[in-house]
Amino acid sequence: MGHAAYPTLRVSRKDGVAHVTIDNPPINLLDVAVMTDLRRLLTALAGDDTVRVIVWDSADPDFFLAHVDMTATPDALAGLMADLPDGVNVFQAVGEQLRRQPQVTIVKLAGKARGGGAEFVVAADMAFAAIGTAGLGQIEALMGIVPGGGATQYLTERVGRNRALEIVLGADLMDAETAERYGWINRALPADRLDAFVDRLARNIAALPDGVVAAAKHAVVPRDLADGLARENDAWASLMFRPATAQLMGAGLAEGAQTREGEQDMEGLFRDLAG
């Protein structure tokens, strides 16, 4: 179970590294509870100068963050919407907070991350993925929408416009080796080496002399994507609230989306519905 202050997260600290394990069964949905805990934890850690690195992983070997909860309603999101930074929607706020975190943020990806889960991965400073088990996918197009949590901007910056369009419109699940080749992640590693590699990197960064991490993050600053995020939100909102979108998402839920079985081939499920 999660930390008492963050029910969906397990949090531990050692030698300047905060280890955060996402634990939201049955499939680690990026739901209101997880988004609330993530934003609260990031805020708390931002003021903790004893932590230099945050490593993110999952309690579920199959799913890092499955995707945004398709059953979330505006009423359920109201608490998060009441505390938004200027110029971003509720989903973009998570990625922007992660991108601007003073600590170095590292994702250890052993399972799948789709939709908003994949957006979380690309918003982190670094990501390392397990060959044979990890997968990344922006599946929103299959649901009749476009990404609305930063992916259009983060991916364009990370992999280039042509590959970003392939990822968003192709809507396939990408394996770790392809994601590495595209630049979506830092490295693809054998599954049995992932933990040791990331843990060693995190320890080495945390052990650097005082001021080095802060200076590096000050120099290697995240780009201001405000205009692009506004365009993304407009594009997402123009599609999200159409009756056809609600019908397609409802059909997906009826066919097993957000269950462990249905999530194994989410892309196939929605392609079948569209066909």
Side-chain angles (χ1 to χ4, degrees):
M1 297 296 291
H3 187 279
Y6 311 102
T8 66
L9 307 174
R10 303 179 192 169
V11 184
S12 64
R13 296 172 176 82
K14 184 179 181 181
D15 299 330
V17 180
H19 291 269
V20 184
T21 299
I22 302 165
D23 186 11
N24 188 38
I27 57 167
N28 268 13
L29 277 178
L30 184 57
D31 59 14
V32 171
V34 172
M35 286 189 284
T36 300
D37 284 351
L38 288 173
R39 292 199 59 203
R40 289 178 58 245
L41 176 63
L42 287 168
T43 298
L45 290 176
D48 187 345
D49 59 10
T50 69
V51 174
R52 294 179 174 180
V53 182
I54 310 171
V55 175
W56 306 88
D57 64 12
S58 171
D60 189 321
D62 295 325
F63 301 102
F64 175 75
L65 278 169
H67 50 76
V68 169
D69 180 7
M70 291 189 290
T71 69
T73 65
D75 286 347
L77 293 166
L80 286 166
M81 294 171 69
D83 188 31
L84 288 182
D86 290 340
V88 296
N89 69 33
V90 66
F91 307 113
Q92 293 168 340
V94 177
E96 283 300 280
Q97 188 171 0
L98 183 62
R99 276 208 322 138
R100 298 181 183 281
Q101 193 71 10
Q103 290 88 4
V104 174
T105 57
I106 305 175
V107 167
K108 187 192 300 183
L109 184 67
K112 298 178 179 67
R114 293 181 171 103
E119 288 170 316
F120 185 92
V121 173
V122 77
D125 292 325
M126 307 176 199
F128 301 88
I131 295 171
T133 62
L136 285 162
Q138 297 298 155
I139 57 171
E140 292 88 348
L142 299 175
M143 303 174 185
I145 58 174
V146 294
T152 63
Q153 305 307 300
Y154 304 156
L155 283 170
T156 300
E157 182 177 32
R158 189 74 65 91
V159 308
R161 179 178 181 271
N162 58 334
R163 284 177 165 168
L165 285 169
E166 177 192 348
I167 290 167
V168 169
L169 296 177
D172 287 325
L173 187 69
M174 187 172 288
D175 62 57
E177 291 159 304
T178 307
E180 178 195 61
R181 189 166 67 250
Y182 274 36
W184 198 344
I185 61 170
N186 290 65
R187 299 195 200 188
L189 295 161
D192 61 358
R193 289 182 48 207
L194 180 64
D195 286 346
F197 180 91
V198 173
D199 292 348
R200 176 179 177 275
L201 176 64
R203 288 195 306 269
N204 287 349
I205 293 172
L208 290 169
D210 286 347
V212 173
V213 170
K217 292 215 70 172
H218 176 74
V220 188
V221 65
R223 287 179 55 196
D224 183 350
L225 300 174
D227 289 345
L229 290 170
R231 290 194 304 272
E232 177 187 81
N233 183 59
D234 289 345
W236 171 82
S238 72
L239 298 171
M240 182 65 201
F241 303 106
R242 298 184 304 174
T245 300
Q247 182 178 2
L248 186 53
M249 288 190 181
L253 289 166
E255 290 297 319
Q258 302 196 173
T259 67
R260 292 193 73 85
E261 182 178 4
E263 292 286 332
Q264 293 302 327
D265 184 16
M266 188 87 162
E267 296 79 11
L269 186 155
F270 275 95
R271 290 190 198 282
D272 288 345
L273 289 172

